[in-house]
Amino acid sequence: MPAFATIAAVPTMPRLRRFARRSLPLGSILALSFLCSCGGGQPAPPPPTPKSLPELQQDIQAILTRSHVPGAGIALVDKDHVIWAGGVGMAQLASNKPVTADTVFRVGSISKTFVSLALLKLQEAGRIDLNAKLRDFSPTLPFENRWESTHPVTLAEVLEHSAGFDDMSASETYDLRPNAAADPLDVCFQFPQPLATRWPPGTRMSYSNPGYGVAGFLVQKASSEKFDLYIAQNILQPLGMTRSSFDLDATIYQQLAQGYHGIPPRPVPYLNIYLRPAGDFKSSPAELAKLVEMFLNRGKVGDEQLVSADSITRMEYPQTTLAAKAGLKYGYGFGNYSNLDGPVVQHGHDGGISGFLSTYSYMPDQAVGYVALINSDSGGQALRQIDRLLANYLLAGQALPQPPAAAMPDAQLAQFTGYYEKENPRGQMLAFLDILLHGERVSLANGRLTLKDWTGPARVLAPTGNNQFRLESEAGPSMIFLTDDEGNEILSGAGGFYGVRRGVWWPMLRFLLVHLALVAMLSSLLFTLWWIPVKLLKKTTGKGHLWVRGMPALAALSLGGAFWLFNSTPVWLLGSYNMYSVGLWLLTWLFAAFSVLGLVLAWRARWQGISRAVYWHSLIVSIACCGMTLYLAYWHMIGVKLWLP
């Protein structure tokens, strides 16, 4: 269950963006930093391929040093054995304790893989049917689905994040009670709001940590044991992962790396979380390597079959979304997703939690895989670089397949052009950011389709047949154009994007209006830096004009203060009642009040002999502030109380 970060929303994405998508939804509040910066950029060039293991270790250390990440745990695996497991850098800076193969990291959402394996094992034992309706399996579970008669939620949809559930609120993130070990069912009853479907289940994927809280409860109900105990006995012990756990016992605590945040790295406290099945697992590179080896051997561990090869395949490929039903092979399966960004198809999962980021990945056709764990939640770019470095190292010298391709005439390509507005926000509270920023425009030029959001570069879509496409850098089809049951034209992606074709003029106008409003508010702050010294030098006239000039600046400062508080306040403080969360609530109300008061004062100043330039500037900025107030109020962001469920 990853730490807060921005929501990414392109149809397919490199791993760095996956860290964002896997992150906690309210962390996407930080995406409000788009008000300050909204640029896109070209992807970094691929790193060189190390020629030896010592060279690989040196390259990893160089990445850690550049990125101010203390340490990394690494494992390289093939089908028959662990090639190398070890550490680079420091597990604890204060004591100069190095990372080793046995250093334990919090691995966040990788936890979901183990919950999914447990449910598949229970299904093979005949104790649960993952295609069953959730309501039939657990009539008392507190979830709501207004489409239940036509689109009932199934257990498989819960595991594929296609049930339509919301992601967690800030208050559902960290459990600040001492020695807390929250029961999944208790959490469902304490925080039922995310378990209300937002669209017909089985249509689109939207990542939901509360959904895997439900999954943990399913393990308990089917096994009649606590979910973590069942996983320990039936998954971890057969794998030989005897020093990995959802619990923090004395042995694991001794081996646990210190988590860090920021530059320079600052230690972060170990905090319990509510949704333990979604992200409370702890493991080492040496032990996670055994998980990767099991996947490469299609569920086999030594001479024993942990789960069947069919169950492994079911984990790897989605079946419940409209895109999957229309033929798109790749996406999020059961605690396992496809990574198409590169020369070969990879499977795995990543995660993050306060102080840590992690990933495991394997390439079934090439029979290799790896684990990469770092003890900094600010090191997303570093982990992405390490991720690519490990893949390049393992694939060196292998014959790589050619990506699929198909020809399509311009007349057929033209039918897909248009603007697709994103309609599967991860966190409903901040859906306005997805709607505002993350639509995709499909265009046809020189016989090629291109895909472009508002801020990034255009990407070429190469047809692969059956209305499916891939980006030029991808190993397989990652997008599909389809029509839903209501006749809407849809662009759906393996990376989680689900867009409905709309007219482009209103989205474009909305995008421009919001950014013009931000520019106007910024100008009021810059103007204030000029007129305050002038006022101090007593070169202005009319005391009443001071408030006409100053009120829009106060509004802009209040909004800026709110965004600063979002970005700088630890998640566990935002989700509880304290001076920080109350301050955020107050600043949003002050922004609204100053905006309205500024407009009133600017309007009245027209009869008070104020300079025409000052009058028009103050009026325009006040109108911009009021427009932004209305926009944020419509999305319930004025007076937001993050400490409430």
Side-chain angles (χ1 to χ4, degrees):
M1 191 160 31
F4 278 6
T6 59
I7 290 181
V10 293
T12 58
M13 57 203 74
R15 278 186 191 271
L16 180 59
R17 291 191 178 179
R18 274 206 197 86
F19 285 121
R21 181 167 56 80
R22 302 285 184 263
S23 301
L24 299 181
L26 251 291
S28 57
I29 288 173
L30 304 185
L32 290 172
S33 61
F34 84 93
L35 293 168
C36 300
S37 174
C38 213
Q42 296 288 344
T49 301
K51 296 179 177 58
S52 64
L53 187 57
E55 186 177 333
L56 173 66
Q57 294 167 347
Q58 291 172 7
D59 289 348
I60 292 172
Q61 182 61 69
I63 292 171
L64 298 179
T65 301
R66 287 196 307 269
S67 305
H68 302 275
V69 172
I74 307 293
L76 305 174
V77 184
D78 67 19
K79 190 175 180 180
D80 300 320
H81 70 296
V82 176
I83 300 169
W84 175 71
V88 180
M90 293 294 151
Q92 293 181 2
L93 292 175
S95 61
N96 287 324
K97 183 178 180 180
V99 178
T100 70
D102 297 319
T103 298
V104 174
F105 293 74
R106 300 186 80 175
V107 298
S109 284
I110 290 175
S111 307
K112 296 176 175 67
T113 296
F114 294 95
V115 172
S116 296
L117 280 168
L119 286 169
L120 284 164
K121 192 168 185 67
L122 286 164
Q123 179 170 256
E124 290 180 7
R127 302 173 74 175
I128 194 171
D129 177 6
L130 296 179
N131 293 314
K133 298 177 185 178
L134 182 60
R135 183 68 71 195
D136 291 345
F137 186 78
S138 180
T140 60
L141 192 72
F143 77 94
E144 296 180 10
N145 176 25
R146 55 193 172 108
W147 296 276
E148 189 70 17
S149 61
T150 57
H151 294 79
V153 175
T154 67
L155 278 59
E157 288 166 354
V158 172
L159 295 182
E160 286 189 18
H161 298 296
S162 62
F165 293 153
D166 202 351
D167 214 337
M168 69 186 75
S169 64
S171 59
E172 194 182 3
T173 306
Y174 289 101
D175 189 349
L176 302 182
R177 298 172 300 174
N179 303 316
D183 180 82
L185 185 59
D186 291 342
V187 176
C188 291
F189 276 98
Q190 186 176 350
F191 300 94
Q193 292 84 354
L195 301 181
T197 58
R198 296 171 288 164
W199 44 73
T203 56
R204 65 207 77 171
M205 180 266 185
S206 182
Y207 199 85
S208 170
N209 282 295
Y212 266 79
V214 172
F217 160 69
L218 298 179
V219 173
Q220 295 189 166
K221 185 173 174 61
S223 67
S224 301
E225 297 181 60
K226 289 187 177 297
F227 82 93
D228 49 353
L229 180 60
Y230 179 84
I231 290 172
Q233 293 175 343
N234 295 275
I235 304 297
L236 301 181
Q237 287 184 16
L239 280 170
M241 298 179 65
T242 56
R243 290 180 291 179
S244 300
S245 178
F246 283 86
D247 296 323
L248 182 65
D249 60 26
T251 302
I252 289 177
Y253 183 77
Q254 271 189 334
Q255 295 293 327
L256 185 66
Q258 171 64 55
Y260 294 90
H261 173 79
I263 300 174
R266 300 182 299 277
V268 298
Y270 184 100
L271 297 170
N272 295 303
I273 60 174
Y274 279 109
L275 292 165
R276 298 178 60 234
D280 210 16
F281 196 64
K282 293 160 278 285
S283 189
S284 66
E287 296 217 330
L288 278 177
K290 299 175 182 180
L291 174 71
V292 175
E293 195 172 354
M294 182 274 295
F295 276 118
L296 291 174
N297 285 282
R298 314 312 293 163
K300 198 171 184 180
V301 181
D303 296 328
E304 302 295 327
Q305 198 76 34
L306 179 66
V307 294
S308 69
D310 287 343
S311 288
I312 294 298
T313 300
R314 181 63 186 92
M315 287 189 75
E316 294 171 340
Y317 300 104
Q319 294 183 6
T320 65
T321 62
L322 289 179
K325 294 167 188 173
L328 187 65
K329 182 178 180 180
Y330 302 108
Y332 194 100
F334 287 180
N336 189 299
Y337 59 83
S338 310
N339 175 21
L340 305 171
D341 184 51
V344 301
V345 176
Q346 298 177 239
H347 295 277
H349 211 293
D350 49 24
I353 196 166
S354 188
F356 298 89
L357 292 175
S358 54
T359 188
Y360 76 86
S361 183
Y362 62 96
M363 295 149 266
D365 293 340
Q366 290 71 37
V368 291
Y370 56 87
V371 174
L373 316 173
I374 64 173
N375 58 341
S376 169
D377 59 22
S378 303
Q381 182 63 34
L383 189 54
R384 169 167 163 71
Q385 292 172 0
I386 293 171
D387 182 65
R388 297 175 74 184
L389 199 67
L390 298 177
N392 289 351
Y393 179 78
L394 289 171
L395 293 174
Q398 293 209 29
L400 302 180
Q402 291 297 313
M408 187 174 287
D410 285 8
Q412 284 185 268
L413 293 173
Q415 67 180 313
F416 303 125
T417 59
Y419 179 78
Y420 293 83
E421 186 167 86
K422 191 171 190 291
E423 290 203 353
N424 62 327
R426 174 175 168 175
Q428 195 62 35
M429 177 182 173
L430 294 171
F432 71 97
L433 288 178
D434 275 330
I435 292 172
L436 180 68
L437 297 175
H438 293 152
E440 296 285 354
R441 189 168 186 179
V442 179
S443 304
L444 178 61
N446 301 320
R448 301 194 305 177
L449 279 186
T450 59
L451 188 72
K452 190 180 187 308
D453 60 22
W454 293 115
T455 61
R459 294 149 285 159
V460 175
L461 292 175
T464 61
N466 300 318
N467 292 348
Q468 298 181 41
F469 292 79
R470 64 177 181 85
L471 299 181
E472 289 186 315
S473 62
E474 293 179 327
S478 60
M479 280 157 279
I480 186 170
F481 292 90
L482 54 90
T483 303
D484 67 12
D485 294 340
E486 298 178 354
N488 297 309
E489 294 170 294
I490 307 297
L491 171 60
S492 186
F497 182 85
Y498 184 93
V500 179
R501 184 149 75 170
R502 309 285 191 203
V504 71
W505 296 110
W506 167 236
M508 183 183 297
L509 179 62
R510 178 178 58 206
F511 182 84
L512 290 174
L513 286 174
V514 169
H515 284 78
L516 286 173
L518 297 175
V519 170
M521 284 187 276
L522 179 61
S523 73
S524 72
L525 294 176
L526 296 176
F527 186 38
T528 299
L529 295 177
W530 173 77
W531 65 256
I532 285 182
V534 173
K535 177 63 179 176
L536 292 175
L537 293 173
K538 300 182 180 180
K539 291 187 178 181
T540 62
T541 59
K543 293 183 179 179
H545 299 167
L546 178 65
W547 290 109
V548 176
R549 302 164 193 252
M551 201 59 65
L554 288 174
L557 281 173
S558 299
L559 186 61
F563 296 144
W564 175 82
L565 211 50
F566 271 123
N567 281 279
S568 63
T569 305
V571 174
W572 55 91
L573 293 177
L574 283 178
S576 56
Y577 184 80
N578 53 56
M579 60 182 291
Y580 302 98
S581 56
V582 172
L584 181 61
W585 167 82
L586 179 61
L587 283 170
T588 60
W589 275 120
L590 285 176
F591 169 66
F594 289 146
S595 297
V596 173
L597 188 55
L599 182 60
V600 171
L601 292 176
W603 181 257
R604 291 176 58 186
R606 62 188 297 203
W607 295 290
Q608 296 176 359
I610 193 171
S611 160
R612 180 171 296 184
V614 172
Y615 165 71
W616 281 108
H617 178 261
S618 299
L619 182 64
I620 290 170
V621 175
S622 295
I623 290 173
C625 289
C626 287
M628 185 63 71
T629 296
L630 291 173
Y631 185 66
L632 294 176
Y634 177 82
W635 291 100
H636 310 291
M637 293 300 294
I638 300 297
V640 60
K641 299 178 180 179
L642 295 183
W643 63 86
L644 296 180

